[in-house]
Amino acid sequence: KTKTIPEIQDAVKTYTGSICLGAERPSYDMETEISKTHSTELLNEENILKTASWFEGWIYQTAPAFSALKHKGKPMYKLARKGKTVPVKQRWIKIYNFEITAIELPEVFFKIKCSKGTYIRSIAHDFGKALNNGAYLSSLRRTSIGEYTVDNAIEVDLFIDKIKAENS
């Protein structure tokens, strides 16, 4: 079954989570401290929904400095944690759907269906920029990858028993 790993890794993924508006963090998520704050007073539902729709389709994305991508053989997050700045890689990704599921400012809850290589942290950061505000990813859960979803997931113990049964 190891030969099927690339098929799974390359599959479309779906995530749910939340983006906190009004602040920025260097890691684009909760790993680092807030580096800048913004007022969320002028943000409204209409603008938030419209801005989310701009992200759908093929977009050119910059990976976060705090990513596992490598620069000269070293993971960028290790360099970033040491305060080193390195060129950040960009790539084309596809956002099939960016749905805002709830707005409870400063939190915006979402569901995103996307291609391999998408950094949801970067989506959160860029979403804040597109709103002329700041934003970071405050929670994230992968709910599907290809045909595999949390809805049809099973407990680890049941999975182990199933594998044992198939191999006996």
Side-chain angles (χ1 to χ4, degrees):
K1 286 288 186 179
T2 57
K3 290 179 182 179
T4 64
I5 291 172
E7 293 172 28
I8 295 168
Q9 289 176 329
D10 292 348
V12 171
K13 294 152 185 68
T14 305
Y15 297 91
T16 59
S18 59
I19 297 170
C20 185
L21 299 173
E24 297 176 43
R25 294 175 185 251
S27 61
Y28 302 171
D29 64 11
M30 303 284 287
E31 181 181 341
T32 55
E33 296 297 318
I34 291 173
S35 59
K36 190 173 183 183
T37 59
H38 306 264
S39 171
T40 59
E41 222 173 270
L42 299 177
L43 297 175
N44 60 56
E45 181 177 350
E46 180 184 352
N47 197 11
I48 290 168
L49 296 173
K50 184 170 120 183
T51 301
S53 72
W54 295 346
F55 285 81
E56 293 180 344
W58 287 99
I59 62 172
Y60 205 47
Q61 184 182 70
T62 302
F66 287 76
S67 71
L69 293 175
K70 292 197 168 61
H71 176 75
K72 296 184 179 177
K74 294 188 178 187
M76 287 176 33
Y77 68 86
K78 287 186 178 182
L79 300 168
R81 286 179 184 150
K82 292 179 181 175
K84 295 182 180 178
T85 306
V86 298
V88 180
K89 298 185 181 209
Q90 294 183 320
R91 65 175 122 202
W92 284 103
I93 56 145
K94 186 168 187 181
I95 305 297
Y96 296 93
N97 188 8
F98 185 0
E99 177 187 353
I100 302 300
T101 56
I103 300 170
E104 298 171 16
L105 289 175
E107 294 289 322
V108 174
F109 299 86
F110 66 86
K111 180 178 179 181
I112 290 179
K113 186 176 180 181
C114 59
S115 66
K116 172 186 176 182
T118 301
Y119 283 92
I120 304 298
R121 290 177 288 151
S122 288
I123 296 289
H125 174 79
D126 294 345
F127 184 65
K129 283 173 47 176
L131 286 165
N132 293 315
N133 205 280
Y136 62 88
L137 186 66
S138 48
S139 70
L140 184 67
R141 180 181 190 204
R142 183 185 291 167
T143 58
S144 75
I145 181 167
E147 64 185 70
Y148 302 98
T149 71
V150 295
D151 295 334
N152 61 19
I154 60 174
E155 296 290 329
V156 173
D157 291 341
L158 292 173
F159 178 73
I160 291 169
D161 291 344
K162 182 177 178 179
I163 296 297
K164 286 178 182 175
E166 287 176 3
N167 291 320
S168 53

